């Protein structure tokens, strides 16, 4: 079932992205972008990232793309205007793009991720303790698994506020056994409180800056007229 | 399998019931059919009723009778007659239109309005997809509706439609901000984004409804209601259609079924935001009269199938509350004149945003003020006491996959309650 | 999710990334270039979330992708304001016409 869903979402995401590249009309590009981004949101849901998927839908699809279409409407000089590229440019970009895709895809598919995961865990053990006194099994090194721990909203929220439920304070489970790398580690990290604050200030700056740009241009228009 | 995928719960139910010899794929198909039928009922029926109500209320407000002939004395079947008329119309696309986008745009609108219902709990446990980010994702899906309208406006190839679409985009940019902030206010009071939990928190008497939890939430409800009028493109914010200036706005060039899709979506989203307001502020599926609720609960627990009937009763309560809010929306539409687009943006950005920010701050500070003056964080019983912590995902019967993960969920709950204790005592563990 | 591994998600994100890069390179409409940027960021996001699910870093990937989404929205707003300013000066959004600095 989830495999079928994955295939559908993956095809829609890739196909939408391809159509964005291939179509000439900007509003059609926006439509295909919506298809692609919504399918990526679907992939996020499949990966158990419900909050990230919802954010993707709300901010990207609902916000950014509407903003882009709004921009198209404000700037298009005629109905369904298209600005075409040179055919030679398109061919060049197509060839380079295919080569790049082949490179990236073959790299991604040739790496043995699980083995790297195990090696990374060993390296972490070395770094933390200087000696391998307890080799952790790869099973206990799994990432955040929503099937075990429900939804991600609370943990994400607390992570942004500086407390990591999934890492800090990870308590011993019922039978007393520790998860591999977390034994005795009860330091509280700052989580993502500082980046969160920086991003909020950044958003404010962008808001003021964009409003200033929009205002400045209107003043020039009035002076010219 | 993901717990919150649409088909999962019914698929599990069919698997566990084992009276139906089905493999996984037919089970998924059945689950899809059942879900779409259920959601379709909630989508279609309110629209059916509200179109009739709109005409009737409009008539009464304008000192007319409204529909009187189709289907008996009060014109009950007027919506059906409208629907038959619309289906018979020719489905045409203008020459100047971008035909692909023109044909697809109504589907985007309908799908957005349609899928938002997936996340709406109609009663305790009666929700298609129960998830912690439920409120957030419902708003996200609902906001996709705007995209379809803007695309429809652009693709029609008509200046009226283009104006309508641009107005809708400008209006959306201005109303989304106060909408987001006012929706966060009850979330701050309740401490959860899960709509099922927010509803469950408001049990036991009208004073527990979140609208009465502080003066700030009381005012926030009215800001929320105003903003939802704008999000539904209802008068006085119906700038995108504006019959008297823009012919029909974004739907000028549409006819037949595609035109009626826009209206189905409009009435469905009217009902949706009203139900959302009822859950967030007006006590959800609780009657607000605690002896009645308690009596219902006790009788339901002592009789066979009473639990289910209680849920259906709760759903009726929610629908009545939502219908009252929809009635107020219709009432406002036929009594207030339309604003200009600059007035809409002024209202939303210059007045409603500062107001909602102020109310948000007030709702955050209110428990602190109460704690220093009267020694407890709310005037009535604190919200956290009204619901058992272990049932935080709300709906044990429907979300059978949660039971499968019982131990994991318990471990998670105990973890985070321990963390809370650790934080409050100022030490890590 | 039994049959779908990390590689599949990475492959999809590679397609998104390459499409975004090609889109940035070939489109002459400034807003088309912006859409290419969005595609690239989405490919990266998909990577982050996939590693958060299959790797050992817990929620880190998801938090990162949240930041990316938020910053992408900010970037789109600022870039759109620049495009509008450009349009007001040149009456076009063709990026090939932006040759003022060549002297």
């Amino acid at each position: 079932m989830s495999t079928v869903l994955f295939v559908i979402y993956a095809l829609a995401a890739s196909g939408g992205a391809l159509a964005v590249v291939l179509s000439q009309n900007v509003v059609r590009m926006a439509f295909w972008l919506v298809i692609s981004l919504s399918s990526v949101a679907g992939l996020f849901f499949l990966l158990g990232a419900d909050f990230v998927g919802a954010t993707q839908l709300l901010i990207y699809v609902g916000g950014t793309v509407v903003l882009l279409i709004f921009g198209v409407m404000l700037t298009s000089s005629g109905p369904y205007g298209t600005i075409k590229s040179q055919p030679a440019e398109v061919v060049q970009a197509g060839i380079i793009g295919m080569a790049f895709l082949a490179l990236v895809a073959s790299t991604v598919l040739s790496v043995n991720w699980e083995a790297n995961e195990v090696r990374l865990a060993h390296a972490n053990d070395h770094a933390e303790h200087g000696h391998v006194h307890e080799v952790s099994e790869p099973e206990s090194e799994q990432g955040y698994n929503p099937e075990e721990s429900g939804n991600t909203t609370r943990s994400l929220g607390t992570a942004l506020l500086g407390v990591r439920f999934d890492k800090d304070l990870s308590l011993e489970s019922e039978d007393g056994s520790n998860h591999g790398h977390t034994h005795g580690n009860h330091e509280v990290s700052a989580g993502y409180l500082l980046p969160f604050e920086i991003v909020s200030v950044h958003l404010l700056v962008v808001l003021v800056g964009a409003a200033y740009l929009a205002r400045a241009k209107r003043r020039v228009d009035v002076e010219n007229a | 399998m993901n717990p919150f995928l649409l088909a999962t719960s019914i698929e599990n139910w069919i698997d566990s019931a084992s009276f139906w010899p089905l493999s996984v794929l037919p089970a998924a198909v059945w689950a899809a059919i059942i879900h779409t039928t259920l959601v379709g009922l909630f989508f279609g029926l309110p629209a059916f009723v509200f179109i009739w109500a709109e005409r009737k209320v409009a008539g009464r407000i304008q000192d007319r009778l409204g529909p009187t002939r189709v289907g008996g004395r009060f014109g009950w079947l007027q919506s059906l007659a409208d629907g038959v008329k619309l289906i018979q119309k020719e489905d045409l696309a203008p020459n100047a239109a971008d035909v692909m986008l023109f044909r697809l745009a109504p589907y985007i609108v309908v799908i957005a309005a349609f899928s938002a219902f997936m996340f709406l709990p109609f009663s305790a446990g009666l929700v298609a997809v129960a998830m912690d980010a439920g409120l957030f994702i419902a708003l996200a899906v609902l906001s996709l509706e705007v995209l379809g309208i803007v695309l429809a406006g652009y693709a029609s190839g008509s200046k009226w439609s283009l104006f309508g679409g641009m107005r809708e985009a400008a209006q959306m940019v201005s109303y989304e901000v106060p909408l987001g902030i006012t929706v966060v206010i009850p979330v701050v009071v309740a401490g959860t984004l899960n709509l099922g939990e927010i509803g469950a928190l408001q049990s036991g008497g009208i004073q527990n409804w979140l609208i009465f939890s502080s003066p700030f939430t009381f005012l926030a409800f009215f800001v929320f209601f105003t903003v939802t009028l704008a999000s539904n493109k209802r008068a006085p914010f119906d700038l995108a259609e504006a019959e008297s200036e823009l012919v029909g706005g974004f739907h000028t060039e549409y006819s037949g079924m595609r035109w009626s899709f826009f209206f189905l979506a409009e009435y469905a989203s009217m009902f949706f935001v009203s139900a959302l307001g009822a859950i967030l502020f007006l006590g959800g599926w609780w009657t607000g009269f605690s002896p009645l609720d308690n009596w219902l609960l006790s009788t339901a627990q002592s009789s066979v199938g009473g639990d289910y009937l209680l849920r259906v009763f709760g759903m009726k309560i929610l629908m009545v509350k939502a219908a009252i809010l929809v009635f107020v929306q219709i009432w406002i539409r036929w009594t207030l004149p339309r604003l200009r687009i600059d007035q809409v943006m002024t209202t939303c950005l210059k007045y409603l945003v500062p107001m909602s920010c102020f109310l948000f701050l007030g709702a955050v500070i209110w428990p602190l003020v109460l704690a220093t003056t009267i020694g407890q964080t709310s005037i009535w019983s604190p919200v956290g006491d009204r619901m058992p912590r272990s049932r935080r995902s709300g709906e044990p019967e429907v979300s059978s996959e949660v039971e499968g993960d019982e131990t994991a969920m318990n471990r998670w709950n105990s973890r985070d309650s321990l963390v809370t204790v650790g934080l409050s005592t100022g030490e890590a563990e | 999710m039994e049959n779908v591994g990390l590689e599949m998600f990475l492959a999809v994100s590679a397609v998104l990334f390459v499409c975004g890069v090609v889109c940035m390179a070939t489109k002459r409409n400034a807003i088309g270039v912006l859409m290419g940027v969005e595609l690239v960021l989405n490919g990266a996001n998909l990577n982050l979330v996939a590693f958060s699910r299959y790797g050992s870093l817990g929620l880190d990937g998801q938090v990162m992708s949240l930041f990316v989404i938020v910053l992408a929205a900010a970037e789109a707003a600022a870039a759109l304001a620049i495009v509008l300013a450009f349009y007001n000066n040149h009456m076009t959004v063709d990026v090939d016409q932006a040759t003022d600095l060549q002297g």
Side-chain angles (χ1 to χ4, degrees), chain A residues 82-199:
Chain A
T82 57
I83 304 177
K84 287 208 171 62
S85 318
Q86 301 287 329
E89 285 176 2
V90 176
V91 171
Q92 277 176 10
I95 291 172
I96 295 177
M98 294 302 282
F100 190 41
L101 177 64
L103 182 71
V104 175
S106 64
T107 314
V108 159
L109 295 179
S110 65
V111 173
N112 186 351
W113 294 103
E114 285 176 20
N116 282 359
E117 210 49 60
V118 175
R119 244 186 296 159
L120 182 68
H122 281 251
N124 278 345
D125 269 359
H126 276 292
E128 279 176 17
H129 310 291
H131 57 100
V132 197
H133 74 102
E134 182 184 349
V135 178
S136 53
E137 303 134 19
E139 282 79 18
S140 65
E141 293 288 341
Q142 279 302 305
Y144 186 79
N145 195 341
E147 284 155 42
E148 279 177 11
S149 30
N151 295 317
T152 58
T153 310
R154 282 165 215 272
S155 348
L156 273 179
T158 50
L160 287 178
L161 287 180
V163 183
R164 301 290 306 273
F165 284 171
D166 53 332
K167 298 202 128 180
D168 303 335
L169 313 169
S170 51
L171 306 172
E172 296 171 14
S173 43
E174 294 89 345
D175 52 349
S177 69
N178 272 330
H179 286 288
H181 65 297
T182 52
H183 43 266
N185 175 19
H186 290 306
E187 301 160 20
V188 183
S189 73
Y192 286 95
L193 185 57
L194 183 63
F196 182 71
E197 292 299 329
I198 292 175
V199 162

Side-chain angles (χ1 to χ4, degrees), chain B residues 42 116-131 134-135 138 193-200 272 275-276 278-280 284-285 311 314-315 318-319 395:
Chain B
F42 288 119
F117 280 87
M118 284 197 310
F119 308 101
L120 188 73
F122 288 94
S123 176
L126 282 187
V127 52
V129 185
M131 54 195 285
L135 172 61
L193 275 170
N194 188 327
L195 284 171
E197 284 178 30
I198 294 177
F272 177 79
L276 199 64
I279 290 173
L280 287 179
W285 46 85
R311 276 157 200 232
M315 186 181 83
L318 180 75
M319 292 184 82
E395 300 79 26

Side-chain angles (χ1 to χ4, degrees), chain B residues 16-208:
Chain B
S16 62
S18 75
F19 61 88
W20 196 268
L22 281 177
S23 58
V24 176
L25 191 64
V29 171
W30 272 106
I33 291 172
I34 292 172
H35 270 96
T36 42
T37 313
L38 280 178
V39 178
L41 279 179
F42 288 119
F43 178 66
L45 275 184
F48 193 82
V49 174
F50 292 145
I51 289 173
W52 171 79
E54 174 108 51
R55 288 164 164 264
K56 203 71 186 168
V57 171
R60 290 295 177 182
I61 285 175
Q62 296 169 348
D63 204 11
R64 298 184 280 118
L65 285 176
T68 51
R69 306 197 176 191
V70 189
R73 204 173 147 216
F74 300 107
W76 290 107
L77 291 178
Q78 184 64 44
S79 310
L80 190 67
D82 283 348
V84 169
K85 182 195 78 176
L86 285 170
I87 290 174
Q88 286 173 336
K89 282 190 172 180
E90 185 188 354
D91 176 32
L92 46 83
N95 274 337
D98 182 338
V99 177
M100 185 194 85
L101 292 182
F102 182 81
R103 293 202 186 279
L104 281 177
Y107 295 115
I108 298 181
V109 177
V110 162
I111 288 170
F114 197 63
S115 355
F117 280 87
M118 284 197 310
F119 308 101
L120 188 73
F122 288 94
S123 176
L126 282 187
V127 52
V129 185
M131 54 195 285
D132 262 357
L135 172 61
F136 190 50
I137 192 168
L139 285 179
V141 171
L142 198 67
S143 76
L144 298 188
E145 206 185 326
V146 177
L147 190 78
I149 285 166
V150 174
L151 279 180
Y154 182 84
S156 291
S158 143
K159 58 182 171 185
W160 310 119
S161 305
L162 187 63
F163 270 120
M166 284 189 71
R167 281 185 178 184
E168 175 64 16
Q171 186 173 326
M172 182 248 189
V173 172
S174 49
Y175 75 70
E176 282 278 332
V177 184
L179 178 64
I181 300 175
T182 44
V183 158
V184 164
I185 291 171
V187 168
V188 164
V189 177
T192 172
L193 275 170
N194 188 327
L195 284 171
E197 284 178 30
I198 294 177
L201 282 171
Q202 304 177 57
S203 61
I206 198 168
Q207 79 277 4
N208 283 347

Side-chain angles (χ1 to χ4, degrees), chain B residues 237-248:
Chain B
F237 299 106
D238 59 344
L239 273 299
E241 326 177 5
E243 299 96 334
S244 46
E245 317 157 30
L246 296 184
V247 189

Side-chain angles (χ1 to χ4, degrees), chain A residues 49-50 52 73 96 142 151-152 169 171 195 200 215 219 223:
Chain A
D50 52 347
V52 180
M73 287 176 167
I96 295 177
Q142 279 302 305
N151 295 317
T152 58
L169 313 169
L171 306 172
S200 12
R215 258 170 65 95
R219 198 181 58 229
E223 280 167 9

